[in-house]
Amino acid sequence: MVPIISRKTKIDKPKEHCAVFGVTCDDIGFSVSQILYTGLIALQHRGQESSGISILKTGGKINTYKRKGLVSKVLNDKILSRYWGNIGIGHNRYATTGSEGFSSQNYIQPYHFKNNEIEFSFAFNGTIPNFEEIKKEMEDMGRIFITNTDTEVIAQLMASISLGTESWPEIIKTASKFLDGSYSFIILTSEGDIYAIRDPLGFKPLCIGEKKTEKRNLYFIASESCALDAVGATFLRDVKPGEIVHLSHQKDIHSELQIYSEKTALCQFEFVYFARPDSVIDGISVAKARYRMGQNLARQDPLLKNLQFKENAIIVPVPDSGRSSAVGYSKQAGIPYVEGLMKNRYVWRTFIMPGQKKRNTAVHEKLNPIRSVIEGKDVILIDDSIVRGTTTKQIISLIKDAGAKSVNVRISCPPVVSACYMGIDFPTCDELIAGRCLKQYGITEYVEKIKEIIGADSLLYQTIEDLEKAINLNTGLCKACLNGIYPLKSINKLSNLENSIKTSRT
Ligand code: SF4
Protein backbone atom coordinates (compact mmCIF):
# COMPACT_ATOMS: atom_id res chain seq x y z
CA MET A 1 0.00 0.00 0.00
CA VAL A 2 1.44 3.33 -1.01
CA PRO A 3 2.17 5.80 1.78
CA ILE A 4 0.19 9.03 1.67
CA ILE A 5 2.84 11.73 1.74
CA SER A 6 0.60 14.67 2.61
CA ARG A 7 -0.52 13.04 5.83
CA LYS A 8 -2.32 14.85 8.62
CA THR A 9 -1.27 12.38 11.27
CA LYS A 10 1.97 13.08 13.14
CA ILE A 11 3.36 9.75 14.21
CA ASP A 12 6.29 9.37 16.58
CA LYS A 13 7.11 5.81 15.59
CA PRO A 14 7.45 4.44 12.08
CA LYS A 15 4.40 2.39 11.15
CA GLU A 16 4.36 -0.87 9.25
CA HIS A 17 1.67 -0.90 6.62
CA CYS A 18 0.19 -4.37 6.54
CA ALA A 19 0.11 -8.06 7.35
CA VAL A 20 -0.88 -10.93 5.09
CA PHE A 21 -1.99 -14.43 6.06
CA GLY A 22 -3.25 -17.35 3.96
CA VAL A 23 -4.28 -20.96 4.53
CA THR A 24 -5.36 -23.87 2.36
CA CYS A 25 -6.78 -27.19 3.57
CA ASP A 26 -7.22 -30.49 1.65
CA ASP A 27 -10.51 -31.25 3.46
CA ILE A 28 -13.38 -29.53 1.63
CA GLY A 29 -15.62 -30.15 4.65
CA PHE A 30 -13.43 -27.93 6.84
CA SER A 31 -13.70 -24.15 7.11
CA VAL A 32 -10.52 -22.09 7.56
CA SER A 33 -12.25 -18.87 8.62
CA GLN A 34 -11.50 -19.32 12.35
CA ILE A 35 -7.84 -20.05 11.50
CA LEU A 36 -7.67 -16.86 9.40
CA TYR A 37 -9.00 -14.95 12.39
CA THR A 38 -6.35 -16.42 14.74
CA GLY A 39 -3.54 -15.72 12.25
CA LEU A 40 -4.68 -12.13 11.72
CA ILE A 41 -4.99 -11.54 15.48
CA ALA A 42 -1.34 -12.64 15.86
CA LEU A 43 -0.39 -10.12 13.16
CA GLN A 44 -2.47 -7.23 14.52
CA HIS A 45 0.69 -5.26 15.42
CA ARG A 46 1.44 -4.79 11.69
CA GLY A 47 -1.83 -2.98 10.95
CA GLN A 48 -4.74 -1.82 13.07
CA GLU A 49 -6.95 0.29 10.82
CA SER A 50 -8.83 -2.36 8.88
CA SER A 51 -9.04 -6.08 8.37
CA GLY A 52 -10.58 -8.51 5.92
CA ILE A 53 -10.72 -12.03 4.54
CA SER A 54 -11.43 -13.71 1.20
CA ILE A 55 -12.64 -17.31 1.28
CA LEU A 56 -13.15 -19.68 -1.63
CA LYS A 57 -16.47 -21.47 -1.48
CA THR A 58 -16.89 -24.88 -3.08
CA GLY A 59 -17.64 -24.20 -6.76
CA GLY A 60 -15.00 -21.51 -7.22
CA LYS A 61 -16.77 -18.43 -5.88
CA ILE A 62 -14.61 -16.06 -3.84
CA ASN A 63 -16.39 -14.27 -0.97
CA THR A 64 -14.72 -11.24 0.56
CA TYR A 65 -15.57 -9.43 3.79
CA LYS A 66 -13.57 -6.39 4.94
CA ARG A 67 -14.22 -3.47 7.22
CA LYS A 68 -12.49 -0.70 9.13
CA GLY A 69 -11.45 -1.76 12.65
CA LEU A 70 -9.46 -4.29 14.61
CA VAL A 71 -9.60 -7.97 13.68
CA SER A 72 -11.73 -8.84 16.74
CA LYS A 73 -14.30 -6.21 15.76
CA VAL A 74 -14.39 -6.90 12.01
CA LEU A 75 -14.31 -10.70 12.06
CA ASN A 76 -16.91 -11.50 14.71
CA ASP A 77 -18.46 -14.95 15.20
CA LYS A 78 -21.41 -14.16 12.95
CA ILE A 79 -19.14 -13.20 10.04
CA LEU A 80 -16.82 -16.17 10.56
CA SER A 81 -19.71 -18.64 10.44
CA ARG A 82 -21.13 -16.98 7.33
CA TYR A 83 -17.82 -16.96 5.41
CA TRP A 84 -17.19 -20.67 5.08
CA GLY A 85 -14.65 -22.51 2.87
CA ASN A 86 -11.44 -24.54 2.94
CA ILE A 87 -9.12 -21.95 1.32
CA GLY A 88 -8.68 -18.31 2.28
CA ILE A 89 -6.48 -15.28 2.67
CA GLY A 90 -6.59 -12.34 5.08
CA HIS A 91 -5.12 -8.90 5.56
CA ASN A 92 -4.58 -6.29 8.28
CA ARG A 93 -3.97 -2.76 7.16
CA TYR A 94 -2.37 0.26 8.72
CA ALA A 95 -3.37 3.52 7.07
CA THR A 96 -2.93 7.13 8.03
CA THR A 97 -5.98 8.45 9.83
CA GLY A 98 -7.90 10.77 7.59
CA SER A 99 -5.85 9.85 4.53
CA GLU A 100 -7.41 10.22 1.15
CA GLY A 101 -10.30 7.88 0.48
CA PHE A 102 -9.59 5.69 3.45
CA SER A 103 -13.21 5.35 4.45
CA SER A 104 -13.94 3.73 1.10
CA GLN A 105 -14.21 -0.08 1.05
CA ASN A 106 -12.03 -0.01 -2.07
CA TYR A 107 -9.00 0.93 0.02
CA ILE A 108 -9.38 -1.98 2.42
CA GLN A 109 -7.88 -5.37 1.56
CA PRO A 110 -8.04 -8.14 0.40
CA TYR A 111 -8.58 -6.49 -3.00
CA HIS A 112 -11.16 -8.61 -4.81
CA PHE A 113 -10.78 -8.36 -8.59
CA LYS A 114 -13.40 -9.68 -10.98
CA ASN A 115 -14.11 -9.07 -14.67
CA ASN A 116 -15.38 -11.22 -17.56
CA GLU A 117 -12.03 -13.00 -17.90
CA ILE A 118 -10.62 -13.50 -14.41
CA GLU A 119 -11.43 -13.45 -10.69
CA PHE A 120 -8.95 -13.41 -7.83
CA SER A 121 -8.39 -11.82 -4.45
CA PHE A 122 -5.17 -10.17 -3.48
CA ALA A 123 -3.52 -9.06 -0.21
CA PHE A 124 -0.44 -6.88 -0.21
CA ASN A 125 2.23 -5.68 2.24
CA GLY A 126 4.57 -3.07 0.80
CA THR A 127 4.68 -0.16 -1.56
CA ILE A 128 5.36 0.41 -5.25
CA PRO A 129 6.90 3.90 -5.67
CA ASN A 130 6.63 3.71 -9.50
CA PHE A 131 2.95 2.72 -9.50
CA GLU A 132 1.74 6.00 -11.00
CA GLU A 133 3.90 5.48 -14.10
CA ILE A 134 2.47 1.98 -14.55
CA LYS A 135 -1.03 3.30 -13.96
CA LYS A 136 -0.59 6.05 -16.57
CA GLU A 137 0.59 3.56 -19.19
CA MET A 138 -2.34 1.26 -18.44
CA GLU A 139 -4.82 4.16 -18.57
CA ASP A 140 -3.41 5.07 -21.97
CA MET A 141 -4.22 1.49 -23.03
CA GLY A 142 -7.83 1.92 -21.86
CA ARG A 143 -7.80 0.48 -18.32
CA ILE A 144 -10.09 2.27 -15.87
CA PHE A 145 -9.08 2.59 -12.20
CA ILE A 146 -11.39 3.24 -9.25
CA THR A 147 -8.70 4.04 -6.65
CA ASN A 148 -5.32 5.74 -6.65
CA THR A 149 -3.44 2.90 -4.98
CA ASP A 150 -0.57 0.66 -5.94
CA THR A 151 -2.76 -2.25 -4.77
CA GLU A 152 -5.21 -1.72 -7.61
CA VAL A 153 -2.39 -1.12 -10.10
CA ILE A 154 -0.86 -4.53 -9.24
CA ALA A 155 -4.28 -6.22 -9.52
CA GLN A 156 -5.06 -4.56 -12.88
CA LEU A 157 -1.56 -5.34 -14.14
CA MET A 158 -1.98 -9.03 -13.34
CA ALA A 159 -5.44 -9.05 -14.92
CA SER A 160 -3.99 -7.53 -18.13
CA ILE A 161 -1.14 -10.05 -18.24
CA SER A 162 -3.59 -12.92 -17.71
CA LEU A 163 -5.08 -12.17 -21.15
CA GLY A 164 -1.89 -13.69 -22.63
CA THR A 165 -1.31 -16.64 -20.28
CA GLU A 166 -3.29 -18.78 -17.82
CA SER A 167 -0.20 -19.67 -15.80
CA TRP A 168 -0.26 -17.79 -12.49
CA PRO A 169 3.52 -18.09 -11.93
CA GLU A 170 4.03 -16.50 -15.38
CA ILE A 171 1.50 -13.76 -14.61
CA ILE A 172 3.22 -12.93 -11.31
CA LYS A 173 6.71 -13.14 -12.79
CA THR A 174 5.78 -10.80 -15.65
CA ALA A 175 4.05 -8.36 -13.29
CA SER A 176 7.09 -8.28 -10.99
CA LYS A 177 9.24 -7.01 -13.88
CA PHE A 178 7.23 -3.78 -13.80
CA LEU A 179 7.14 -3.41 -10.01
CA ASP A 180 10.14 -1.57 -8.57
CA GLY A 181 9.18 -1.65 -4.92
CA SER A 182 9.03 -3.46 -1.63
CA TYR A 183 6.34 -6.10 -1.47
CA SER A 184 5.17 -9.41 -0.14
CA PHE A 185 1.80 -10.37 -1.58
CA ILE A 186 -0.55 -13.32 -1.70
CA ILE A 187 -3.23 -14.18 -4.26
CA LEU A 188 -6.26 -16.44 -3.93
CA THR A 189 -7.38 -17.68 -7.35
CA SER A 190 -10.86 -18.88 -8.29
CA GLU A 191 -9.26 -22.27 -9.10
CA GLY A 192 -8.48 -22.69 -5.39
CA ASP A 193 -4.76 -21.93 -5.38
CA ILE A 194 -2.80 -19.52 -3.24
CA TYR A 195 0.30 -17.93 -4.76
CA ALA A 196 2.74 -15.79 -2.80
CA ILE A 197 5.70 -13.68 -3.82
CA ARG A 198 8.37 -11.80 -1.92
CA ASP A 199 10.08 -9.01 -3.86
CA PRO A 200 13.59 -9.75 -5.22
CA LEU A 201 15.25 -7.60 -2.53
CA GLY A 202 13.21 -9.25 0.25
CA PHE A 203 12.21 -5.99 2.01
CA LYS A 204 9.24 -7.55 3.78
CA PRO A 205 9.21 -10.86 5.65
CA LEU A 206 7.10 -13.81 4.45
CA CYS A 207 7.16 -17.40 5.62
CA ILE A 208 5.43 -20.73 5.10
CA GLY A 209 4.21 -23.44 7.45
CA GLU A 210 2.15 -26.61 7.62
CA LYS A 211 -0.04 -28.57 9.99
CA LYS A 212 -0.67 -32.23 9.26
CA THR A 213 -3.17 -34.30 11.22
CA GLU A 214 -4.78 -37.70 10.59
CA LYS A 215 -7.87 -35.95 9.25
CA ARG A 216 -6.44 -33.15 7.13
CA ASN A 217 -3.39 -31.22 5.89
CA LEU A 218 -3.17 -27.46 6.13
CA TYR A 219 -0.58 -25.17 4.50
CA PHE A 220 0.07 -21.58 5.56
CA ILE A 221 1.67 -18.37 4.37
CA ALA A 222 2.23 -15.50 6.82
CA SER A 223 3.97 -12.16 7.21
CA GLU A 224 5.60 -13.37 10.42
CA SER A 225 6.27 -16.74 12.01
CA CYS A 226 4.43 -15.75 15.22
CA ALA A 227 1.17 -16.24 13.25
CA LEU A 228 2.19 -19.82 12.41
CA ASP A 229 2.80 -20.47 16.12
CA ALA A 230 -0.61 -19.00 16.96
CA VAL A 231 -2.44 -21.49 14.69
CA GLY A 232 -0.36 -24.47 15.86
CA ALA A 233 1.48 -24.83 12.53
CA THR A 234 5.07 -25.90 12.04
CA PHE A 235 7.34 -23.26 10.55
CA LEU A 236 8.80 -24.68 7.32
CA ARG A 237 10.93 -21.82 6.00
CA ASP A 238 11.01 -18.20 4.86
CA VAL A 239 9.96 -17.42 1.30
CA LYS A 240 13.20 -16.47 -0.44
CA PRO A 241 13.58 -12.98 -1.90
CA GLY A 242 12.12 -13.10 -5.43
CA GLU A 243 10.51 -16.51 -4.90
CA ILE A 244 7.01 -17.38 -6.07
CA VAL A 245 5.44 -20.04 -3.87
CA HIS A 246 2.33 -22.08 -4.67
CA LEU A 247 0.10 -23.41 -1.89
CA SER A 248 -2.14 -26.10 -3.29
CA HIS A 249 -4.84 -27.90 -1.31
CA GLN A 250 -4.36 -30.87 -3.64
CA LYS A 251 -0.56 -31.14 -3.65
CA ASP A 252 1.18 -29.14 -0.88
CA ILE A 253 3.56 -26.17 -0.90
CA HIS A 254 6.10 -25.87 -3.66
CA SER A 255 8.33 -23.24 -5.11
CA GLU A 256 7.40 -22.22 -8.65
CA LEU A 257 10.40 -20.07 -9.50
CA GLN A 258 12.74 -17.46 -8.13
CA ILE A 259 13.69 -14.11 -9.60
CA TYR A 260 17.28 -13.80 -8.50
CA SER A 261 18.82 -10.62 -7.18
CA GLU A 262 22.51 -10.18 -6.34
CA LYS A 263 21.73 -8.47 -3.04
CA THR A 264 18.84 -8.35 -0.60
CA ALA A 265 17.48 -5.47 1.50
CA LEU A 266 15.33 -6.72 4.39
CA CYS A 267 14.07 -3.71 6.38
CA GLN A 268 16.24 -3.35 9.48
CA PHE A 269 13.26 -1.87 11.35
CA GLU A 270 11.63 -5.33 11.35
CA PHE A 271 14.28 -6.35 13.91
CA VAL A 272 14.41 -3.02 15.76
CA TYR A 273 10.67 -2.40 16.18
CA PHE A 274 8.03 -3.80 13.79
CA ALA A 275 8.17 -7.56 14.21
CA ARG A 276 7.04 -9.40 17.30
CA PRO A 277 9.99 -10.64 19.37
CA ASP A 278 8.67 -14.21 19.13
CA SER A 279 9.05 -14.13 15.32
CA VAL A 280 12.01 -15.52 13.39
CA ILE A 281 12.81 -13.71 10.12
CA ASP A 282 15.20 -15.14 7.54
CA GLY A 283 16.60 -17.44 10.20
CA ILE A 284 17.19 -14.66 12.77
CA SER A 285 15.26 -14.56 16.05
CA VAL A 286 13.90 -11.03 16.54
CA ALA A 287 14.18 -11.34 20.35
CA LYS A 288 17.81 -12.46 20.16
CA ALA A 289 18.72 -9.69 17.70
CA ARG A 290 17.23 -7.11 20.10
CA TYR A 291 19.07 -8.70 23.02
CA ARG A 292 22.36 -8.37 21.11
CA MET A 293 21.53 -4.72 20.32
CA GLY A 294 21.32 -4.12 24.09
CA GLN A 295 24.60 -5.94 24.71
CA ASN A 296 26.31 -3.81 22.04
CA LEU A 297 25.02 -0.60 23.60
CA ALA A 298 26.42 -1.62 26.99
CA ARG A 299 29.80 -2.51 25.44
CA GLN A 300 30.03 0.97 23.90
CA ASP A 301 28.71 2.91 26.91
CA PRO A 302 31.35 5.23 28.41
CA LEU A 303 29.19 5.82 31.52
CA LEU A 304 29.77 2.25 32.66
CA LYS A 305 33.41 3.05 33.42
CA ASN A 306 32.17 5.21 36.31
CA LEU A 307 31.73 2.71 39.18
CA GLN A 308 29.85 5.18 41.39
CA PHE A 309 27.30 5.72 38.62
CA LYS A 310 26.97 1.97 38.05
CA GLU A 311 26.17 1.33 41.69
CA ASN A 312 23.22 3.72 41.66
CA ALA A 313 21.98 2.83 38.14
CA ILE A 314 18.91 0.86 37.03
CA ILE A 315 17.95 -0.24 33.51
CA VAL A 316 14.41 0.79 32.56
CA PRO A 317 12.91 -0.30 29.21
CA VAL A 318 10.31 1.71 27.32
CA PRO A 319 7.61 -0.97 27.04
CA ASP A 320 7.21 -3.07 24.96
CA SER A 321 9.82 -2.93 22.20
CA GLY A 322 12.66 -1.72 24.46
CA ARG A 323 12.44 -4.83 26.67
CA SER A 324 14.61 -7.41 24.87
CA SER A 325 17.40 -4.84 24.35
CA ALA A 326 17.15 -3.74 27.99
CA VAL A 327 17.63 -7.34 29.13
CA GLY A 328 20.72 -7.62 26.89
CA TYR A 329 22.10 -4.32 28.17
CA SER A 330 21.45 -5.30 31.81
CA LYS A 331 23.16 -8.69 31.41
CA GLN A 332 26.20 -7.15 29.71
CA ALA A 333 26.52 -4.24 32.16
CA GLY A 334 25.69 -6.16 35.34
CA ILE A 335 23.12 -3.51 36.33
CA PRO A 336 19.60 -4.51 37.51
CA TYR A 337 16.72 -4.48 35.00
CA VAL A 338 13.67 -2.76 36.48
CA GLU A 339 10.17 -2.32 35.04
CA GLY A 340 10.02 1.36 35.94
CA LEU A 341 7.33 2.41 33.46
CA MET A 342 3.84 0.96 33.69
CA LYS A 343 1.99 0.74 30.40
CA ASN A 344 -1.76 1.15 30.16
CA ARG A 345 -2.65 -1.45 27.52
CA TYR A 346 -6.06 0.07 26.80
CA VAL A 347 -4.75 3.21 25.09
CA TRP A 348 -2.26 1.49 22.80
CA ARG A 349 -3.24 3.36 19.66
CA THR A 350 -2.59 6.86 20.97
CA PHE A 351 0.85 7.22 19.37
CA ILE A 352 -0.89 7.81 16.06
CA MET A 353 -3.21 10.49 17.38
CA PRO A 354 -3.08 13.67 15.31
CA GLY A 355 -1.96 16.92 16.90
CA GLN A 356 0.84 17.64 19.36
CA LYS A 357 -1.46 18.52 22.29
CA LYS A 358 -3.34 15.24 22.00
CA ARG A 359 -0.06 13.35 21.74
CA ASN A 360 1.26 14.95 24.94
CA THR A 361 -1.84 13.77 26.80
CA ALA A 362 -1.51 10.41 25.09
CA VAL A 363 1.95 9.70 26.52
CA HIS A 364 0.73 10.46 30.05
CA GLU A 365 -2.28 8.23 29.51
CA LYS A 366 -0.14 5.44 28.14
CA LEU A 367 2.87 5.38 30.48
CA ASN A 368 3.18 5.95 34.21
CA PRO A 369 6.55 5.85 36.00
CA ILE A 370 6.82 3.82 39.21
CA ARG A 371 8.19 6.38 41.68
CA SER A 372 9.16 3.81 44.34
CA VAL A 373 11.73 2.18 42.03
CA ILE A 374 12.90 5.30 40.15
CA GLU A 375 13.34 7.89 42.91
CA GLY A 376 16.99 8.87 43.47
CA LYS A 377 18.26 6.47 40.80
CA ASP A 378 20.43 7.05 37.73
CA VAL A 379 18.06 5.66 35.11
CA ILE A 380 19.41 4.08 31.92
CA LEU A 381 16.37 4.27 29.67
CA ILE A 382 16.37 1.81 26.75
CA ASP A 383 14.15 2.44 23.72
CA ASP A 384 14.07 1.02 20.20
CA SER A 385 14.28 4.27 18.22
CA ILE A 386 13.84 8.05 18.25
CA VAL A 387 11.81 9.39 15.34
CA ARG A 388 10.49 12.92 15.99
CA GLY A 389 11.79 12.95 19.55
CA THR A 390 8.57 14.30 21.05
CA THR A 391 7.58 11.06 22.81
CA THR A 392 11.10 10.45 24.15
CA LYS A 393 11.17 13.98 25.55
CA GLN A 394 7.90 13.42 27.39
CA ILE A 395 8.98 10.06 28.80
CA ILE A 396 12.20 11.62 30.13
CA SER A 397 10.19 14.40 31.73
CA LEU A 398 7.84 11.84 33.37
CA ILE A 399 10.81 9.91 34.81
CA LYS A 400 12.47 13.08 36.12
CA ASP A 401 9.19 14.16 37.73
CA ALA A 402 9.16 10.78 39.48
CA GLY A 403 12.43 11.72 41.20
CA ALA A 404 15.16 10.15 39.03
CA LYS A 405 18.65 11.54 39.71
CA SER A 406 19.51 11.35 35.98
CA VAL A 407 17.99 9.92 32.79
CA ASN A 408 20.48 8.43 30.32
CA VAL A 409 18.92 7.39 27.01
CA ARG A 410 20.24 4.38 25.06
CA ILE A 411 18.74 3.67 21.64
CA SER A 412 18.86 0.33 19.77
CA CYS A 413 18.45 1.92 16.34
CA PRO A 414 21.12 4.29 14.96
CA PRO A 415 19.95 7.89 14.26
CA VAL A 416 17.06 7.91 11.76
CA VAL A 417 18.04 10.68 9.35
CA SER A 418 16.24 9.96 6.05
CA ALA A 419 12.69 9.34 4.96
CA CYS A 420 11.47 5.89 3.92
CA TYR A 421 10.04 5.35 0.44
CA MET A 422 9.67 1.59 0.85
CA GLY A 423 6.24 1.36 2.42
CA ILE A 424 6.80 2.48 6.00
CA ASP A 425 4.83 5.47 7.24
CA PHE A 426 7.64 7.82 8.22
CA PRO A 427 7.97 11.55 8.86
CA THR A 428 9.87 13.67 6.34
CA CYS A 429 13.60 14.29 6.83
CA ASP A 430 12.96 17.71 8.46
CA GLU A 431 10.44 16.19 10.89
CA LEU A 432 12.95 13.53 11.98
CA ILE A 433 14.85 14.94 14.95
CA ALA A 434 18.13 13.33 13.83
CA GLY A 435 17.65 14.37 10.19
CA ARG A 436 16.93 17.97 11.17
CA CYS A 437 19.80 18.20 13.70
CA LEU A 438 22.28 16.56 11.31
CA LYS A 439 21.40 19.14 8.67
CA GLN A 440 21.61 22.02 11.15
CA TYR A 441 24.61 21.08 13.32
CA GLY A 442 26.65 18.58 11.30
CA ILE A 443 27.90 15.08 11.98
CA THR A 444 30.05 15.90 15.04
CA GLU A 445 27.45 17.98 16.96
CA TYR A 446 24.05 16.58 16.13
CA VAL A 447 23.75 13.83 18.78
CA GLU A 448 24.66 16.33 21.52
CA LYS A 449 21.93 18.68 20.21
CA ILE A 450 19.35 15.88 20.20
CA LYS A 451 20.31 15.11 23.82
CA GLU A 452 19.65 18.75 24.75
CA ILE A 453 16.32 18.90 22.90
CA ILE A 454 14.92 15.75 24.52
CA GLY A 455 16.23 16.77 27.96
CA ALA A 456 18.38 13.69 28.57
CA ASP A 457 21.48 13.71 30.79
CA SER A 458 23.28 11.57 28.22
CA LEU A 459 22.39 9.92 24.90
CA LEU A 460 23.96 6.98 23.11
CA TYR A 461 22.81 5.48 19.82
CA GLN A 462 23.74 2.09 18.38
CA THR A 463 26.17 2.39 15.47
CA ILE A 464 25.15 1.05 12.06
CA GLU A 465 28.01 -1.46 12.24
CA ASP A 466 26.83 -2.76 15.64
CA LEU A 467 23.24 -2.95 14.40
CA GLU A 468 24.38 -5.14 11.51
CA LYS A 469 26.36 -7.35 13.88
CA ALA A 470 23.37 -7.67 16.22
CA ILE A 471 20.99 -8.69 13.42
CA ASN A 472 23.70 -10.89 11.88
CA LEU A 473 21.94 -11.37 8.52
CA ASN A 474 24.59 -12.03 5.92
CA THR A 475 22.30 -11.52 2.90
CA GLY A 476 21.85 -7.74 3.34
CA LEU A 477 19.63 -5.20 5.09
CA CYS A 478 17.92 -1.99 3.97
CA LYS A 479 19.40 0.85 6.03
CA ALA A 480 18.26 3.71 3.80
CA CYS A 481 16.66 5.66 6.67
CA LEU A 482 20.00 5.50 8.50
CA ASN A 483 22.47 6.19 5.69
CA GLY A 484 20.43 7.69 2.84
CA ILE A 485 21.41 4.92 0.41
CA TYR A 486 18.23 3.70 -1.27
CA PRO A 487 18.20 0.22 -2.76
CA LEU A 488 15.42 0.85 -5.33
CA LYS A 489 16.09 2.10 -8.87
CA SER A 490 13.05 4.35 -8.89
CA ILE A 491 14.16 6.29 -5.81
CA ASN A 492 17.03 8.25 -7.28
CA LYS A 493 16.36 11.74 -6.01
CA LEU A 494 18.44 11.86 -2.87
CA SER A 495 18.45 15.11 -0.99
CA ASN A 496 21.65 17.06 -0.40
CA LEU A 497 21.56 15.89 3.19
CA GLU A 498 21.28 12.28 2.18
CA ASN A 499 24.18 12.67 -0.23
CA SER A 500 26.32 14.27 2.44
CA ILE A 501 25.55 11.46 4.88
CA LYS A 502 26.46 8.96 2.19
CA THR A 503 29.81 10.65 1.68
CA SER A 504 30.57 10.84 5.37
CA ARG A 505 29.72 7.21 6.14
CA THR A 506 31.02 5.17 3.23
S1 SF4 B 1 14.25 3.00 4.71
FE1 SF4 B 1 14.31 2.25 6.85
S2 SF4 B 1 12.17 1.83 7.38
FE2 SF4 B 1 12.28 2.00 5.13
S3 SF4 B 1 12.54 -0.10 4.40
FE3 SF4 B 1 14.59 0.79 4.60
S4 SF4 B 1 15.23 0.23 6.68
FE4 SF4 B 1 13.02 -0.08 6.58
Side-chain angles (χ1 to χ4, degrees), residues 71-142:
V71 178
S72 56
K73 182 183 154 212
V74 174
L75 302 176
N76 56 41
D77 288 347
K78 209 167 130 195
I79 296 299
L80 292 178
S81 59
R82 204 189 312 153
Y83 285 76
W84 202 98
N86 64 318
I87 305 160
I89 61 171
H91 187 268
N92 290 337
R93 179 177 186 239
Y94 163 75
T96 310
T97 309
S99 61
E100 177 203 347
F102 174 66
S103 55
S104 162
Q105 283 283 98
N106 295 323
Y107 286 78
I108 303 176
Q109 295 186 44
Y111 187 90
H112 191 154
F113 186 93
K114 187 177 181 184
N115 66 13
N116 291 338
E117 286 87 31
I118 194 166
E119 181 177 7
F120 61 90
S121 185
F122 166 68
F124 170 44
N125 172 208
T127 198
I128 308 296
N130 69 334
F131 86 97
E132 278 177 328
E133 288 163 35
I134 305 170
K135 185 181 173 195
K136 171 89 179 51
E137 276 184 42
M138 292 179 69
E139 280 173 336
D140 291 346
M141 290 189 294

Side-chain angles (χ1 to χ4, degrees), residues 237 243-248 251-256:
R237 65 176 175 84
E243 185 183 10
I244 298 169
V245 166
H246 178 192
L247 278 71
S248 161
K251 288 191 271 180
D252 58 20
I253 300 176
H254 51 279
S255 185
E256 290 285 350

Side-chain angles (χ1 to χ4, degrees), residues 420-438:
C420 176
Y421 302 98
M422 270 69 74
I424 307 301
D425 195 2
F426 233 59
T428 62
C429 178
D430 281 345
E431 291 168 324
L432 292 163
I433 189 168
R436 197 173 62 245
C437 288
L438 179 60

